[in-house]
mmCIF file of all heavy atoms in Angstrom:
data_model
loop_
_atom_site.group_PDB
_atom_site.id
_atom_site.type_symbol
_atom_site.label_atom_id
_atom_site.label_comp_id
_atom_site.label_asym_id
_atom_site.label_seq_id
_atom_site.Cartn_x
_atom_site.Cartn_y
_atom_site.Cartn_z
ATOM 1 N N ASP B 632 7.676 11.406 12.255
ATOM 2 C CA ASP B 632 7.022 10.326 13.005
ATOM 3 C C ASP B 632 7.640 8.954 12.734
ATOM 4 O O ASP B 632 7.151 7.941 13.241
ATOM 5 C CB ASP B 632 5.536 10.237 12.620
ATOM 6 C CG ASP B 632 4.748 11.430 13.117
ATOM 7 O OD1 ASP B 632 5.168 12.018 14.139
ATOM 8 O OD2 ASP B 632 3.724 11.772 12.488
ATOM 9 N N ILE B 633 8.707 8.917 11.937
ATOM 10 C CA ILE B 633 9.134 7.629 11.412
ATOM 11 C C ILE B 633 9.572 6.633 12.487
ATOM 12 O O ILE B 633 9.190 5.464 12.449
ATOM 13 C CB ILE B 633 10.207 7.807 10.316
ATOM 14 C CG1 ILE B 633 10.334 6.531 9.490
ATOM 15 C CG2 ILE B 633 11.547 8.192 10.869
ATOM 16 C CD1 ILE B 633 10.354 6.781 8.038
ATOM 17 N N ASP B 634 10.338 7.087 13.473
ATOM 18 C CA ASP B 634 10.846 6.140 14.477
ATOM 19 C C ASP B 634 9.716 5.486 15.264
ATOM 20 O O ASP B 634 9.680 4.260 15.405
ATOM 21 C CB ASP B 634 11.831 6.836 15.425
ATOM 22 C CG ASP B 634 13.189 7.067 14.766
ATOM 23 O OD1 ASP B 634 13.285 6.879 13.536
ATOM 24 O OD2 ASP B 634 14.144 7.436 15.471
ATOM 25 N N LYS B 635 8.792 6.306 15.764
ATOM 26 C CA LYS B 635 7.737 5.696 16.581
ATOM 27 C C LYS B 635 6.810 4.811 15.742
ATOM 28 O O LYS B 635 6.319 3.782 16.224
ATOM 29 C CB LYS B 635 6.956 6.734 17.394
ATOM 30 C CG LYS B 635 6.356 7.878 16.634
ATOM 31 C CD LYS B 635 5.702 8.884 17.621
ATOM 32 C CE LYS B 635 5.017 9.989 16.842
ATOM 33 N NZ LYS B 635 4.256 10.901 17.693
ATOM 34 N N ALA B 636 6.635 5.155 14.483
ATOM 35 C CA ALA B 636 5.795 4.320 13.612
ATOM 36 C C ALA B 636 6.451 2.961 13.379
ATOM 37 O O ALA B 636 5.820 1.910 13.517
ATOM 38 C CB ALA B 636 5.551 5.032 12.285
ATOM 39 N N ILE B 637 7.739 2.986 13.047
ATOM 40 C CA ILE B 637 8.470 1.744 12.771
ATOM 41 C C ILE B 637 8.542 0.866 14.020
ATOM 42 O O ILE B 637 8.330 -0.351 13.963
ATOM 43 C CB ILE B 637 9.915 2.076 12.297
ATOM 44 C CG1 ILE B 637 9.893 2.714 10.910
ATOM 45 C CG2 ILE B 637 10.795 0.841 12.302
ATOM 46 C CD1 ILE B 637 9.652 1.763 9.789
ATOM 47 N N GLN B 638 8.788 1.489 15.167
ATOM 48 C CA GLN B 638 8.863 0.712 16.413
ATOM 49 C C GLN B 638 7.524 0.036 16.713
ATOM 50 O O GLN B 638 7.483 -1.127 17.117
ATOM 51 C CB GLN B 638 9.294 1.626 17.571
ATOM 52 C CG GLN B 638 10.796 1.935 17.523
ATOM 53 C CD GLN B 638 11.185 3.262 18.173
ATOM 54 O OE1 GLN B 638 10.331 3.942 18.746
ATOM 55 N NE2 GLN B 638 12.448 3.631 18.076
ATOM 56 N N SER B 639 6.453 0.755 16.480
ATOM 57 C CA SER B 639 5.130 0.191 16.757
ATOM 58 C C SER B 639 4.805 -0.952 15.786
ATOM 59 O O SER B 639 4.273 -1.994 16.182
ATOM 60 C CB SER B 639 4.084 1.304 16.664
ATOM 61 O OG SER B 639 2.818 0.826 17.025
ATOM 62 N N LEU B 640 5.144 -0.772 14.513
ATOM 63 C CA LEU B 640 4.923 -1.827 13.519
ATOM 64 C C LEU B 640 5.769 -3.056 13.841
ATOM 65 O O LEU B 640 5.303 -4.195 13.766
ATOM 66 C CB LEU B 640 5.282 -1.327 12.115
ATOM 67 C CG LEU B 640 4.277 -0.410 11.427
ATOM 68 C CD1 LEU B 640 4.931 0.293 10.233
ATOM 69 C CD2 LEU B 640 3.054 -1.206 10.957
ATOM 70 N N TYR B 641 7.030 -2.827 14.204
ATOM 71 C CA TYR B 641 7.917 -3.937 14.517
ATOM 72 C C TYR B 641 7.358 -4.727 15.692
ATOM 73 O O TYR B 641 7.308 -5.963 15.671
ATOM 74 C CB TYR B 641 9.329 -3.423 14.840
ATOM 75 C CG TYR B 641 10.290 -4.543 15.130
ATOM 76 C CD1 TYR B 641 10.873 -5.267 14.095
ATOM 77 C CD2 TYR B 641 10.584 -4.916 16.445
ATOM 78 C CE1 TYR B 641 11.723 -6.323 14.351
ATOM 79 C CE2 TYR B 641 11.437 -5.972 16.712
ATOM 80 C CZ TYR B 641 12.011 -6.676 15.662
ATOM 81 O OH TYR B 641 12.852 -7.728 15.920
ATOM 82 N N HIS B 642 6.903 -3.995 16.709
ATOM 83 C CA HIS B 642 6.317 -4.639 17.882
ATOM 84 C C HIS B 642 5.143 -5.533 17.468
ATOM 85 O O HIS B 642 5.035 -6.672 17.885
ATOM 86 C CB HIS B 642 5.866 -3.568 18.870
ATOM 87 C CG HIS B 642 5.211 -4.124 20.091
ATOM 88 N ND1 HIS B 642 5.924 -4.749 21.094
ATOM 89 C CD2 HIS B 642 3.919 -4.181 20.464
ATOM 90 C CE1 HIS B 642 5.089 -5.161 22.038
ATOM 91 N NE2 HIS B 642 3.858 -4.835 21.680
ATOM 92 N N GLU B 643 4.285 -4.989 16.612
ATOM 93 C CA GLU B 643 3.083 -5.711 16.202
ATOM 94 C C GLU B 643 3.424 -6.989 15.429
ATOM 95 O O GLU B 643 2.873 -8.053 15.679
ATOM 96 C CB GLU B 643 2.198 -4.807 15.333
ATOM 97 C CG GLU B 643 0.991 -5.484 14.712
ATOM 98 C CD GLU B 643 -0.015 -5.986 15.742
ATOM 99 O OE1 GLU B 643 -0.168 -5.331 16.785
ATOM 100 O OE2 GLU B 643 -0.631 -7.042 15.501
ATOM 101 N N PHE B 644 4.343 -6.872 14.471
ATOM 102 C CA PHE B 644 4.566 -8.006 13.568
ATOM 103 C C PHE B 644 5.684 -8.950 14.000
ATOM 104 O O PHE B 644 5.787 -10.065 13.502
ATOM 105 C CB PHE B 644 4.813 -7.515 12.141
ATOM 106 C CG PHE B 644 3.579 -6.990 11.485
ATOM 107 C CD1 PHE B 644 3.388 -5.635 11.288
ATOM 108 C CD2 PHE B 644 2.569 -7.865 11.087
ATOM 109 C CE1 PHE B 644 2.229 -5.143 10.696
ATOM 110 C CE2 PHE B 644 1.409 -7.394 10.497
ATOM 111 C CZ PHE B 644 1.235 -6.031 10.305
ATOM 112 N N PHE B 645 6.550 -8.521 14.919
ATOM 113 C CA PHE B 645 7.682 -9.379 15.269
ATOM 114 C C PHE B 645 7.796 -9.676 16.757
ATOM 115 O O PHE B 645 8.503 -10.576 17.143
ATOM 116 C CB PHE B 645 8.993 -8.762 14.761
ATOM 117 C CG PHE B 645 9.070 -8.722 13.267
ATOM 118 C CD1 PHE B 645 8.719 -7.582 12.561
ATOM 119 C CD2 PHE B 645 9.461 -9.848 12.553
ATOM 120 C CE1 PHE B 645 8.768 -7.554 11.180
ATOM 121 C CE2 PHE B 645 9.514 -9.834 11.178
ATOM 122 C CZ PHE B 645 9.166 -8.682 10.487
ATOM 123 N N GLU B 646 7.118 -8.910 17.603
ATOM 124 C CA GLU B 646 7.287 -9.150 19.041
ATOM 125 C C GLU B 646 6.043 -9.740 19.703
ATOM 126 O O GLU B 646 6.145 -10.553 20.603
ATOM 127 C CB GLU B 646 7.690 -7.845 19.746
ATOM 128 C CG GLU B 646 9.112 -7.435 19.363
ATOM 129 C CD GLU B 646 9.545 -6.119 19.999
ATOM 130 O OE1 GLU B 646 8.672 -5.370 20.484
ATOM 131 O OE2 GLU B 646 10.748 -5.851 19.984
ATOM 132 N N VAL B 647 4.854 -9.300 19.254
ATOM 133 C CA VAL B 647 3.630 -9.835 19.841
ATOM 134 C C VAL B 647 3.506 -11.305 19.435
ATOM 135 O O VAL B 647 3.675 -11.646 18.276
ATOM 136 C CB VAL B 647 2.397 -9.042 19.347
ATOM 137 C CG1 VAL B 647 1.117 -9.690 19.861
ATOM 138 C CG2 VAL B 647 2.485 -7.587 19.756
ATOM 139 N N SER B 648 3.212 -12.160 20.395
ATOM 140 C CA SER B 648 3.122 -13.595 20.080
ATOM 141 C C SER B 648 1.974 -13.877 19.124
ATOM 142 O O SER B 648 0.877 -13.353 19.256
ATOM 143 C CB SER B 648 2.929 -14.381 21.381
ATOM 144 O OG SER B 648 2.140 -15.514 21.130
ATOM 145 N N GLN B 649 2.254 -14.711 18.142
ATOM 146 C CA GLN B 649 1.247 -15.126 17.172
ATOM 147 C C GLN B 649 0.039 -15.739 17.879
ATOM 148 O O GLN B 649 -1.090 -15.511 17.524
ATOM 149 C CB GLN B 649 1.840 -16.178 16.217
ATOM 150 C CG GLN B 649 2.822 -15.612 15.208
ATOM 151 C CD GLN B 649 2.147 -14.860 14.080
ATOM 152 O OE1 GLN B 649 1.007 -15.125 13.762
ATOM 153 N NE2 GLN B 649 2.821 -13.893 13.504
ATOM 154 N N LYS B 650 0.335 -16.524 18.911
ATOM 155 C CA LYS B 650 -0.733 -17.233 19.630
ATOM 156 C C LYS B 650 -1.749 -16.240 20.197
ATOM 157 O O LYS B 650 -2.960 -16.415 20.053
ATOM 158 C CB LYS B 650 -0.136 -18.063 20.784
ATOM 159 C CG LYS B 650 0.719 -19.221 20.288
ATOM 160 C CD LYS B 650 -0.082 -20.515 20.195
ATOM 161 C CE LYS B 650 0.757 -21.650 19.642
ATOM 162 N NZ LYS B 650 0.464 -21.965 18.255
ATOM 163 N N VAL B 651 -1.244 -15.207 20.852
ATOM 164 C CA VAL B 651 -2.122 -14.201 21.443
ATOM 165 C C VAL B 651 -2.984 -13.557 20.355
ATOM 166 O O VAL B 651 -4.193 -13.390 20.508
ATOM 167 C CB VAL B 651 -1.285 -13.116 22.174
ATOM 168 C CG1 VAL B 651 -2.173 -11.973 22.639
ATOM 169 C CG2 VAL B 651 -0.550 -13.732 23.350
ATOM 170 N N GLU B 652 -2.350 -13.243 19.244
ATOM 171 C CA GLU B 652 -3.053 -12.634 18.117
ATOM 172 C C GLU B 652 -4.233 -13.491 17.672
ATOM 173 O O GLU B 652 -5.338 -13.019 17.493
ATOM 174 C CB GLU B 652 -2.112 -12.502 16.913
ATOM 175 C CG GLU B 652 -1.187 -11.334 16.968
ATOM 176 C CD GLU B 652 -1.950 -10.040 17.042
ATOM 177 O OE1 GLU B 652 -2.770 -9.766 16.154
ATOM 178 O OE2 GLU B 652 -1.734 -9.326 18.026
ATOM 179 N N GLU B 653 -3.938 -14.787 17.496
ATOM 180 C CA GLU B 653 -4.976 -15.686 16.998
ATOM 181 C C GLU B 653 -6.132 -15.780 17.993
ATOM 182 O O GLU B 653 -7.290 -15.764 17.611
ATOM 183 C CB GLU B 653 -4.388 -17.076 16.735
ATOM 184 C CG GLU B 653 -3.707 -17.124 15.374
ATOM 185 C CD GLU B 653 -2.716 -18.273 15.273
ATOM 186 O OE1 GLU B 653 -2.842 -19.248 16.022
ATOM 187 O OE2 GLU B 653 -1.794 -18.165 14.429
ATOM 188 N N ALA B 654 -5.798 -15.845 19.271
ATOM 189 C CA ALA B 654 -6.827 -15.913 20.310
ATOM 190 C C ALA B 654 -7.722 -14.677 20.227
ATOM 191 O O ALA B 654 -8.951 -14.778 20.261
ATOM 192 C CB ALA B 654 -6.174 -16.011 21.682
ATOM 193 N N GLU B 655 -7.104 -13.513 20.076
ATOM 194 C CA GLU B 655 -7.875 -12.267 19.989
ATOM 195 C C GLU B 655 -8.801 -12.267 18.780
ATOM 196 O O GLU B 655 -9.950 -11.852 18.869
ATOM 197 C CB GLU B 655 -6.935 -11.063 19.896
ATOM 198 C CG GLU B 655 -6.439 -10.629 21.261
ATOM 199 C CD GLU B 655 -5.491 -9.437 21.164
ATOM 200 O OE1 GLU B 655 -5.164 -9.040 20.035
ATOM 201 O OE2 GLU B 655 -5.092 -8.940 22.222
ATOM 202 N N THR B 656 -8.285 -12.741 17.672
ATOM 203 C CA THR B 656 -9.093 -12.773 16.458
ATOM 204 C C THR B 656 -10.329 -13.631 16.674
ATOM 205 O O THR B 656 -11.432 -13.288 16.260
ATOM 206 C CB THR B 656 -8.266 -13.323 15.282
ATOM 207 O OG1 THR B 656 -7.020 -12.649 15.272
ATOM 208 C CG2 THR B 656 -8.958 -13.080 13.957
ATOM 209 N N LYS B 657 -10.134 -14.749 17.377
ATOM 210 C CA LYS B 657 -11.264 -15.648 17.619
ATOM 211 C C LYS B 657 -12.340 -14.979 18.462
ATOM 212 O O LYS B 657 -13.528 -15.138 18.219
ATOM 213 C CB LYS B 657 -10.768 -16.927 18.310
ATOM 214 C CG LYS B 657 -10.561 -18.039 17.299
ATOM 215 C CD LYS B 657 -10.119 -19.316 17.960
ATOM 216 C CE LYS B 657 -9.365 -20.149 16.933
ATOM 217 N NZ LYS B 657 -8.273 -20.898 17.512
ATOM 218 N N ILE B 658 -11.918 -14.226 19.467
ATOM 219 C CA ILE B 658 -12.883 -13.536 20.326
ATOM 220 C C ILE B 658 -13.663 -12.495 19.526
ATOM 221 O O ILE B 658 -14.876 -12.359 19.670
ATOM 222 C CB ILE B 658 -12.157 -12.868 21.528
ATOM 223 C CG1 ILE B 658 -11.613 -13.959 22.449
ATOM 224 C CG2 ILE B 658 -13.101 -11.954 22.297
ATOM 225 C CD1 ILE B 658 -10.551 -13.478 23.411
#
Side-chain angles (χ1 to χ4, degrees):
Chain B
D632 291 333
I633 197 133
D634 284 11
K635 54 184 184 174
I637 291 284
Q638 284 153 4
S639 185
L640 283 165
Y641 182 80
H642 178 74
E643 173 64 34
F644 288 106
F645 294 96
E646 290 178 344
V647 175
S648 147
Q649 287 284 334
K650 293 266 177 256
V651 173
E652 280 300 303
E653 278 160 23
E655 277 179 355
T656 312
K657 262 182 205 145
I658 292 163

